[in-house]
């Protein structure tokens, strides 16, 4: 959403001024929207500004929210609905829409192409080009046709250099290049550490008599509370007798035995959720990390030659559980500042004016009002943190004269395995709950097997057995796609790590949660990864 909005706004400005401007957009998925995953309840505020006549142009915003319900789940069979008067205002969704964000992005891609934006799906931005003066000058797309041993195959095609006066990075949460830019330019020197959640989602077709189009249900508490973890759940009634159900697990959890995927399967067995899904058909599955640190964790977004946008920087408003409209607005502000810089001369400058334009926007105001929401839940837990957020949001409109901070990185929260309670998860029933591999199958994930592994171990000398002994190899459980397995070596009998990179959903959880910070996610060959339909 951020990159598409920036591209569209740039071309709008150029057309208004009658100027020639070439805008190129790279997408690592097989098509626009193939890798996009979100709940999603969509707030149209930014879209109203970007394309005011979106209804006439057929934007796929068809299901307006008709009712909000918020539940506190206290156990596997118990839940209490909160009175609307006690729900933080940010969780009210009047005027919002239940959408497939993938379809919204596909539609935005059509609008971009109609404005003659050059859209290149299947081309991941794999490397950053730095000029002699230290400014970003563009990117290099990934090589195609290298074997597992990195040697060139007969089908080899080298990556292309794309040089630009300005390069805008909008890769989504924990972008592989965004992470490098933050480190290279020390963009996070003056902010709190970023915090993350893992969102797991399924799309179901359910019985018509159980469907209530426009109903939005959010929840907190069980099952994550049993492990001392936090997060939230959702069930949205979309169009055509379909619902989307999901669980967001905060990635600061401390028990290495916990599996967010299995916690999601347990959640679906709660009577409040199961009553909707029972007798239905599961259509699709996916997972994606979420940057949820908010304003306190937002790095400097400008640097010589470019800007960092949307969830690549962390503009999601966690108090609303929404990031699409904020990402779009960040892209629109970026386009206006880039266009102004181009009108004044050559590219490659540090557009520091972006910071001021950002602070003068409704985006900054919205994130400022929500700055305490996540830290309150982390510091005080679901109940006390929720009470704090009710007072902060409903009584003080997010303007309490204090700012809470959470400065502990999520990966440092992991305790030693021996200090934590082991967890035995029930076997899937094949009706409501399912195993990981059948779920990955529904995501249409595919990678060319004979290619270099895109999940890199930074230090090969860190023994697998050490990670196994200290943390019981948590990568086996925090990965929602079964990418990581501990196997016994046939000859030595020693444990070894097997990386099934073909299963990777590009969620980035391993890059975030690994307690040794030894896993580095890089882009695989173009078009690889999930192909989400209607997600």
């Amino acid at each position: 959403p951020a990159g598409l909005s920036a591209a569209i706004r740039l071309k709008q400005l150029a057309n208004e001024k009658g100027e020639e401007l070439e805008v190129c957009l790279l997408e690592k998925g097989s098509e626009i929207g193939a890798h996009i995953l979100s709940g999603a309840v969509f707030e149209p505020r930014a879209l109203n500004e970007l394309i005011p006549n979106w209804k006439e142009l057929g934007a796929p915003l068809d299901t307006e929210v008709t009712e909000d319900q918020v539940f506190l789940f206290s156990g596997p069979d118990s839940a209490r609905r909160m009175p609307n008067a006690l729900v933080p205002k940010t969780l009210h969704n009047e005027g919002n829409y239940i959408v497939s964000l993938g379809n919204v992005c596909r539609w935005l891609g059509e609008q971009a192409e109609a404005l003659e934006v050059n859209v290149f799906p299947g081309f991941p931005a794999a490397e950053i080009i730095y000029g002699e003066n230290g400014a970003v000058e563009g990117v290099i797309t990934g090589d195609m046709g290298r074997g597992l041993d990195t040697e060139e195959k007969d089908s080899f095609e080298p990556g292309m250099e794309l040089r630009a006066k300005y390069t805008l990075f909008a890769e989504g949460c924990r972008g592989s290049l965004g992470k490098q830019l933050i480190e290279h330019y020390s963009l996070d020197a003056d902010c709190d550490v970023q915090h993350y959640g893992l969102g797991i989602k399924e799309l179901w077709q359910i019985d018509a008599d159980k469907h209530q189009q426009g109903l939005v249900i959010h929840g907190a508490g069980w099952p994550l509370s049993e492990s001392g973890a936090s997060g939230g759940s959702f069930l949205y009634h979309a169009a055509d007798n379909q619902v989307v159900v999901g669980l967001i697990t905060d990635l600061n959890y401390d028990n290495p035995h916990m599996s967010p995927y299995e916690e999601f399967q347990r959640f679906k067995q709660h009577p409040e959720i199961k009553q909707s899904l029972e007798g239905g058909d599961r259509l699709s599955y996916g997972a994606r990390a979420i940057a949820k640190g908010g304003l306190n964790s937002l790095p400097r977004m400008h640097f010589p030659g470019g800007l960092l946008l949307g969830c690549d920087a962390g503009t999601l408003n966690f108090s609303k559980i929404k990031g699409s409209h904020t990402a779009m607005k960040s892209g629109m502000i970026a386009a206006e500042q880039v266009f102004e810089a181009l009108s004044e001369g050559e590219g490659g400058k540090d557009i520091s004016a972006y910071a001021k334009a950002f602070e003068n926007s409704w985006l900054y105001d919205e994130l400022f009002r929500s700055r305490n929401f996540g830290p309150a839940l982390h510091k005080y837990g679901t109940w006390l943190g929720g009470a704090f957020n009710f007072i902060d949001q409903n009584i003080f409109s997010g303007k309490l004269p204090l700012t809470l901070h959470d400065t502990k990185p999520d990966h440092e929260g992991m305790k030693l395995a021996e200090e934590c309670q082991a967890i035995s998860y029930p076997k899937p029933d094949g009706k409501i709950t399912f195993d990981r591999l059948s779920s990955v199958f529904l995501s249409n994930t595919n990678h060319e097997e004979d290619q270099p592994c895109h999940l890199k171990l930074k230090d090969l000398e860190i023994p697998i057995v050490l990670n196994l002994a200290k943390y019981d190899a948590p990568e086996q459980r925090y990965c929602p796609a079964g990418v990581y397995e501990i196997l016994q070596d046939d000859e030595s009998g020693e444990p070894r790590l097997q990386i099934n990179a073909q299963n990777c959903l590009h969620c980035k959880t391993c890059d975030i949660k690994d307690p040794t910070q030894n896993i580095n996610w890089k882009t695989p060959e173009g078009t690889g990864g999930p192909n989400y339909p209607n997600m």
Side-chain angles (χ1 to χ4, degrees):
L4 286 160
S5 298
I8 289 169
R9 186 69 186 125
L10 275 165
K11 292 298 286 188
Q12 287 175 340
L13 291 167
N15 291 344
E16 289 169 10
K17 299 290 186 180
E19 297 182 10
E20 289 291 328
L21 182 64
E22 189 168 2
V23 179
C24 171
L25 190 147
L26 297 179
E27 161 62 49
K28 67 182 172 66
S30 60
E31 63 171 352
I32 297 288
H35 288 177
I36 289 290
L37 184 76
S38 180
V41 174
F42 184 87
E43 182 175 316
R45 185 174 186 178
L47 183 60
N48 290 338
E49 295 179 7
L50 181 66
I51 307 175
N53 61 333
W54 55 265
K55 286 187 179 180
E56 290 79 2
L57 293 174
L61 278 67
D62 303 315
T63 304
E64 192 163 358
V65 175
T66 57
E67 183 181 357
D68 276 301
Q69 297 180 5
V70 177
F71 284 85
L72 296 177
F73 294 92
S74 52
D77 298 304
S78 56
R80 178 177 296 175
R81 183 180 171 186
M82 289 182 63
N84 278 351
L86 297 181
V87 175
K89 288 192 296 187
T90 54
L91 289 177
H92 290 238
N93 287 289
E94 295 87 354
N96 296 333
Y97 296 81
I98 300 171
V99 303
S100 157
L101 191 60
N103 290 340
V104 171
C105 285
R106 290 179 180 98
W107 179 83
L108 285 171
E110 293 171 2
Q111 309 315 303
E113 288 181 317
L115 291 167
E116 298 185 346
V117 173
N118 297 305
V119 178
F120 296 117
F123 287 90
E127 296 179 55
I128 303 166
I129 302 172
Y130 294 102
E132 292 182 0
N133 63 353
V136 171
E137 293 188 350
V139 295
I140 304 174
T141 63
D143 290 345
M144 300 284 285
R146 288 191 181 275
L148 191 60
D149 56 4
T150 73
E151 295 296 317
E152 298 176 9
K153 299 187 292 188
D154 293 341
S155 58
F156 175 73
E157 293 182 15
M160 299 182 295
E161 286 191 11
L162 287 102
R163 294 182 176 267
K165 292 181 177 180
Y166 290 101
T167 308
L168 311 184
F169 294 82
E171 306 162 287
C173 174
R174 195 74 166 193
S176 54
L177 299 187
K179 186 174 69 167
Q180 295 176 38
L181 289 164
I182 290 171
E183 181 179 357
H184 183 83
Y185 291 112
S186 299
L187 302 179
D188 58 350
D190 299 318
C191 65
D192 293 351
V193 296
Q194 186 60 266
H195 295 283
Y196 301 91
L198 170 61
I200 302 177
K201 169 187 173 182
E202 292 177 349
L203 175 68
W204 285 68
Q205 189 85 39
I206 67 169
D207 294 342
D209 59 356
K210 297 179 179 181
H211 188 254
Q212 185 179 331
Q213 185 164 318
L215 173 62
V216 166
I217 298 174
H218 286 116
W222 186 89
L224 296 173
S225 57
E226 284 191 1
S227 301
S230 58
S233 55
F234 59 89
L235 179 73
Y236 304 152
H237 286 245
D240 303 322
N241 296 328
Q242 293 184 351
V243 297
V244 291
V245 58
L247 182 71
I248 299 172
T249 303
D250 293 344
L251 288 179
N252 67 338
Y253 69 85
D254 59 13
N255 188 340
H257 302 294
M258 198 185 84
S259 164
Y261 176 86
E262 298 294 350
E263 295 293 323
F264 173 51
Q265 301 308 309
R266 292 178 68 205
F267 169 69
K268 290 186 293 177
Q269 291 282 19
H270 194 284
E272 198 65 46
I273 304 303
K274 188 177 181 179
Q275 65 179 346
S276 296
L277 304 180
E278 209 160 22
D281 293 315
R282 191 174 66 140
L283 304 178
S284 192
Y285 165 85
R288 187 69 171 93
I290 298 165
K292 54 182 285 289
L295 186 69
N296 298 345
S297 303
L298 204 61
R300 178 162 53 89
M301 298 165 72
H302 58 88
F303 47 85
L307 294 164
L308 196 63
L309 307 180
C311 289
D312 218 348
T315 58
L316 180 138
N317 181 347
F318 192 63
S319 74
K320 288 186 174 182
I321 325 177
K322 294 178 185 64
S324 300
H325 69 292
T326 54
M328 292 177 69
K329 184 61 176 177
S330 76
M332 294 157 64
I333 297 169
E336 290 159 3
Q337 295 304 309
V338 166
F339 190 79
E340 186 173 328
L342 288 171
S343 67
E344 294 174 355
E346 291 299 312
K349 296 179 181 178
D350 189 337
I351 308 180
S352 57
Y354 179 88
K356 189 67 175 176
F358 176 80
E359 288 180 13
N360 289 335
S361 70
W362 59 255
L363 171 54
Y364 177 87
D365 179 67
E366 182 176 314
L367 294 181
F368 177 82
R369 291 171 183 265
S370 301
R371 71 196 183 284
N372 288 324
F373 199 92
L377 294 174
H378 281 191
K379 281 180 174 290
Y380 307 132
T382 300
W383 310 109
L384 287 178
F388 176 94
N389 285 329
F390 173 81
I391 294 169
D392 184 27
Q393 297 298 320
N394 289 33
I395 298 175
F396 289 90
S397 296
K399 292 192 174 183
L400 270 173
L402 78 157
T403 297
L404 303 178
H405 294 277
D406 184 358
T407 57
K408 185 177 181 179
D410 290 341
H411 69 271
E412 290 184 4
M414 191 80 83
K415 292 181 178 179
L416 297 178
E418 63 186 20
E419 299 175 355
C420 299
Q421 179 72 39
I423 303 173
S424 177
Y425 289 107
K427 292 183 178 180
D429 60 20
K431 298 177 182 178
I432 301 294
T433 61
F434 304 88
D435 64 86
R436 269 178 246 228
L437 293 184
S438 67
S439 298
V440 173
F441 177 79
L442 286 181
S443 71
N444 300 305
T445 295
N446 184 55
H447 294 85
E448 171 63 44
E449 291 192 22
D450 187 17
Q451 66 170 293
C453 181
H454 66 279
L455 301 159
K456 305 289 186 182
L457 299 181
K458 299 176 189 175
D459 185 356
L460 295 176
E461 297 303 314
I462 293 180
I464 299 303
V465 69
L466 176 64
N467 190 36
L468 188 60
K470 292 179 70 174
Y471 304 107
D472 194 31
E475 61 271 20
Q476 297 179 101
R477 289 173 293 281
Y478 60 61
C479 173
V483 168
Y484 300 96
E485 288 185 282
I486 300 294
L487 303 177
Q488 300 297 318
D489 188 273
D490 292 339
E491 296 181 3
S492 68
E494 294 295 317
R496 64 180 177 86
L497 177 65
Q498 176 162 304
I499 301 177
N500 305 307
Q502 296 91 337
N503 290 1
C504 181
L505 294 170
H506 299 199
C507 75
K508 312 295 180 67
T509 303
C510 57
D511 196 291
I512 296 164
K513 188 57 178 172
D514 176 33
T516 63
Q517 288 294 278
N518 196 38
I519 299 174
N520 186 35
W521 194 98
K522 302 190 66 151
T523 54
E525 283 190 2
T527 74
N531 282 279
Y532 291 131
N534 203 32
M535 287 284 269

